Amino acid sequence: MASDDIALLAEALSKTHVGYGELSYKGQGLKLDNTESVKELVREIEEYQGLRALRLEGNTVGVEAAQAIAKALECKDQLQSCHWSDMFTGRLRSEIPTALRSLGSALMTAGARLRELDLSDNAFGPDGVKGIETLLKSSVCHSLQELRLNNCGMGIGGGKILAAALTECHEQSSVLGAPLKLKVFQAGRNRLENEGATALALAFQLMGSLEEVHMPQNGINHAGVTALATAMQHNPHLRILNLNDNTFTKRGALAMAQALRHLRTVQVINFGDCLVRSEGAIALSAVLREGLPTLKELNLSFGEITEAAALVLAQAVQDKPHMEKLDLNGNCLGEEGCEALKETMDNMDRADILASLSDDEGEPDEEEEEEEEVEDEDNGKEMKENGVKDEKESPVKLEPTCHPEILSFLSSPTAETLLKLGDNRTGLIQQHVDVSDPDKVADAFLRISSLYSDDHEVKKAVLETIDILLKKAFSGSSLQTYSFLSTLLVMLGLLKGEGKAKKVQVLPGHLLVLEHAVQQDYFPQDHATLLDTFVASLKPQGSSRRLHSPTWEHCDP
């Protein structure tokens, strides 16, 4: 070993913090290639009685050096924390699994019981995961509480190997009566994509002990997000959920909103740069109103959320006593929208929690919306070509035994066919329209309300039918009813949506029946506020009247 290398090691050892069971070589920049280069380091490890934490991050360790360190660890049965991030800079990827196996084998020989394992920033790929696979399956990790694997390049394959190892660890530890209870999982920037995320989601669901999940920048879209959402429902103590810079879109956002309804201890949600969009934002607003009592931070930045949806979100956080930060920067509010949001937060005396809006993207122009609509149509065609059924092709879901009269009416509604259904019309329609499906309810609402007229008998039939339909639909969760209103707004052209929901020509009957509905006991006040926020775009210039104002009857839609 060169004299200057020995001098560097001696200097590093002099700075080593020895106490409270921790031996640290953090950030020393040591180049440890062989047995000679770690001679003094190994001596320090061997002589340290009661070693509980070993910090090697910020150095570079070769295979021979790792084997020498491993030999010293074979008698360290009290070791609980291994901080080994950024430990292989400049090493060949083929070297890293061998080094990791040596270190892992030493921990198993010692009979250690790890609580923390950090291997972040090592870029070891799927082969590196294989290097720790045996360790993760062993009794050493039955006690593991924190696992950090950020920026390791695991990919789909590595994600699957990791998921299988964690699953086996849980199963084996459960047999012994002390199941693995992992609390913190970090795996950002690993290109896990849907398959890797889905595999891990199954392991998460099995464990049910997670308190923090950090998986940003993994190329996960709605399929993987949905799998993770399902898993999160089985982790009731979850406090932090960070999925920044993945791609939710509407389907992923709705699935995640559904999961969050079941969680009572969440404090931080980071869905920034996740393409949550306005429909997703509205779904999350519903969850905010009925749950998430301990939420402190919500990040929905850079998600293509428009002004009205942002205002709905703002209103939803009004009664969150622990809320410290709402980040809606980088969305599509426009200059006036940003001012409206700031004013809304100020009026609620919550202006202090609103993050900067300096990077707002501005209101989306019509050309952008048209391009996205074409893209959605192309995606729909691709789904059909791949054999995926498009659920929106038949908007009104009918039972197989549907009465011919109902089939005729819902297919082509007229006032005449509505009246012909007789006094039992409300029961028949309620029976044959799936009120648990927001899309079906919205479609049925628009079809029936389009028949509204001044004719007393027709008006009465329309309003009675709508009342029964909505009363049952609104008996579900806030998320379900907010989803209905969101779909309704998309079909009315008041909200940019995804998929193939067809916009309809806004008729007076649509607005007049809505005006009637919001005044009924079954229609929650916050839902009326949501509608008013969006329907304001249909009002005459300068009008400040709300949706339930009688003068709306004279507005030209």
Side-chain angles (χ1 to χ4, degrees):
M1 184 177 184
S3 58
D4 54 345
D5 289 335
I6 295 175
L8 284 173
L9 179 56
E11 182 183 358
L13 291 172
S14 69
K15 296 178 181 178
T16 298
H17 169 67
V18 179
Y20 307 105
E22 179 180 285
L23 194 56
S24 176
Y25 305 92
K26 180 180 179 180
Q28 299 299 329
L30 300 173
K31 191 172 186 297
L32 307 173
D33 297 323
N34 50 39
T35 302
E36 182 65 21
S37 68
V38 294
K39 184 175 180 180
E40 292 300 318
L41 187 153
V42 166
R43 182 183 61 78
E44 288 286 332
I45 294 175
E46 290 175 338
E47 294 179 357
Y48 197 109
Q49 299 300 312
L51 181 63
R52 294 180 179 275
L54 178 61
R55 309 196 73 109
L56 295 176
E57 64 264 54
N59 301 289
T60 177
V61 182
V63 172
E64 187 178 330
Q67 290 170 339
I69 294 171
K71 187 67 177 177
L73 291 175
E74 287 182 354
C75 60
K76 299 302 175 182
D77 61 339
Q78 296 182 51
L79 188 63
Q80 297 180 350
S81 300
C82 295
H83 302 278
W84 296 345
S85 63
D86 189 20
M87 203 171 72
F88 298 109
T89 301
R91 303 294 171 179
L92 295 175
R93 180 172 286 189
S94 59
E95 295 181 79
I96 300 175
T98 304
L100 290 173
R101 287 191 185 96
S102 297
L103 293 167
S105 179
L107 298 179
M108 289 185 281
T109 300
R113 293 291 184 269
L114 289 186
R115 295 171 65 88
E116 297 178 76
L117 178 60
D118 186 354
L119 290 166
S120 299
D121 301 316
N122 280 313
F124 48 51
D127 289 339
V129 184
K130 292 178 182 177
I132 60 172
E133 182 180 8
T134 302
L135 173 65
L136 289 174
K137 292 178 179 179
S138 75
S139 60
V140 174
C141 291
H142 287 183
S143 54
L144 194 64
Q145 295 185 4
E146 301 182 17
L147 178 60
R148 294 179 171 86
L149 296 166
N150 286 315
N151 192 31
C152 287
M154 289 190 289
I156 294 173
K160 289 182 176 180
I161 296 169
L162 176 61
L166 290 174
T167 299
E168 183 169 332
C169 182
H170 183 271
E171 291 173 348
Q172 294 297 327
S173 58
S174 296
V175 169
L176 298 175
L180 170 66
K181 293 184 178 179
L182 191 66
K183 293 182 179 180
V184 177
F185 180 83
Q186 295 185 359
R189 299 180 66 189
N190 271 291
R191 304 192 305 277
L192 294 170
E193 301 183 16
N194 287 337
E195 291 184 59
T198 299
L200 285 165
L202 294 174
F204 296 163
Q205 183 170 329
L206 183 66
M207 290 186 289
S209 56
L210 289 168
E211 296 180 8
E212 296 184 23
V213 175
H214 304 263
M215 298 175 67
Q217 288 184 284
N218 270 296
I220 307 169
N221 65 30
H222 68 84
V225 171
T226 298
L228 289 170
T230 300
M232 293 307 105
Q233 293 186 48
H234 297 270
N235 288 266
H237 304 297
L238 189 70
R239 294 183 296 105
I240 299 174
L241 181 57
N242 176 8
L243 295 176
N244 188 284
D245 199 8
N246 289 292
T247 306
F248 281 38
T249 61
K250 177 184 176 181
R251 283 178 284 184
L254 289 178
M256 196 56 72
Q258 180 66 36
L260 291 171
R261 288 183 59 227
H262 300 275
L263 302 174
R264 308 293 296 176
T265 61
V266 176
Q267 297 178 5
V268 178
I269 296 174
N270 186 346
F271 296 160
D273 204 12
C274 282
L275 213 62
V276 168
R277 291 178 172 162
S278 296
E279 288 181 279
I282 291 174
L284 291 170
S285 298
V287 180
L288 284 168
R289 286 192 176 275
E290 69 175 2
L292 298 173
T294 61
L295 190 65
K296 293 182 178 181
E297 296 183 21
L298 176 61
N299 183 349
L300 295 177
S301 59
F302 299 92
E304 294 190 2
I305 298 170
T306 54
E307 175 189 349
L311 294 176
V312 171
L313 271 170
Q315 293 156 2
V317 303
Q318 181 176 6
D319 298 321
K320 294 296 172 192
H322 305 290
M323 199 73 176
E324 297 173 358
K325 184 177 181 180
L326 174 63
D327 191 346
L328 294 173
N329 195 22
N331 282 297
C332 304
L333 310 186
E335 186 175 344
E336 292 183 3
C338 288
E339 290 304 315
L341 179 59
K342 292 176 183 177
E343 181 180 352
T344 297
M345 297 298 289
D346 189 50
N347 290 340
M348 298 188 304
D349 198 26
R350 303 304 301 272
D352 58 317
I353 71 172
L354 182 64
S356 168
L357 299 173
S358 59
D359 295 318
D360 186 74
E361 297 286 343
E363 295 182 69
D365 57 41
E366 292 183 6
E367 288 185 6
E368 288 178 348
E369 293 188 6
E370 288 176 1
E371 286 176 3
E372 291 192 11
E373 286 177 5
V374 170
E375 182 179 341
D376 287 336
E377 289 180 6
D378 290 340
N379 289 337
K381 291 177 182 177
E382 183 178 346
M383 288 170 63
K384 291 177 72 175
E385 290 171 359
N386 291 329
V388 179
K389 183 179 179 181
D390 187 347
E391 296 179 356
K392 297 186 183 297
E393 286 185 1
S394 179
V396 180
K397 182 179 179 180
L398 304 177
E399 299 297 328
T401 57
C402 184
H403 290 240
E405 296 86 353
I406 294 293
L407 179 61
S408 174
F409 170 71
L410 291 176
S411 298
S412 183
T414 66
E416 182 181 1
T417 54
L418 177 64
L419 295 176
K420 280 184 177 180
L421 292 175
D423 294 337
N424 196 33
R425 68 178 70 89
T426 55
L428 289 172
I429 291 176
Q430 181 183 219
Q431 180 182 352
H432 294 289
V433 176
D434 182 5
V435 295
S436 68
D437 188 326
D439 292 346
K440 314 310 186 211
V441 178
D443 185 79
F445 174 89
L446 291 173
R447 288 170 183 264
I448 297 168
S449 62
S450 68
L451 306 178
Y452 184 94
S453 73
D454 290 332
D455 181 274
H456 174 74
E457 190 175 4
V458 174
K459 181 191 297 186
K460 182 173 180 290
V462 168
L463 295 181
E464 285 180 351
T465 305
I466 289 296
D467 284 341
I468 293 296
L469 184 67
L470 294 188
K471 186 174 183 179
K472 185 172 181 180
F474 280 14
S475 65
S477 68
S478 291
L479 176 57
Q480 180 178 313
T481 54
Y482 264 54
S483 295
F484 154 67
L485 293 178
S486 174
T487 301
L488 184 63
L489 291 167
V490 170
M491 297 178 77
L492 288 171
L494 302 178
L495 176 64
K496 187 173 78 171
E498 298 176 21
K500 297 179 65 177
K502 299 295 185 182
K503 294 180 182 178
V504 301
Q505 179 183 359
V506 181
L507 302 174
H510 295 148
L511 299 180
L512 294 173
V513 173
L514 270 178
E515 179 186 355
H516 162 82
V518 298
Q519 297 178 67
Q520 306 310 304
D521 292 339
Y522 61 74
F523 208 103
Q525 181 57 47
D526 60 283
H527 290 52
T529 302
L530 184 157
L531 275 177
D532 188 70
T533 302
F534 281 89
V535 177
S537 63
L538 288 180
K539 297 178 183 180
Q541 290 293 325
S543 172
S544 61
R545 298 184 174 90
R546 298 178 65 81
L547 181 60
H548 53 266
S549 169
T551 56
W552 259 81
E553 295 189 16
H554 305 293
C555 291
D556 181 6

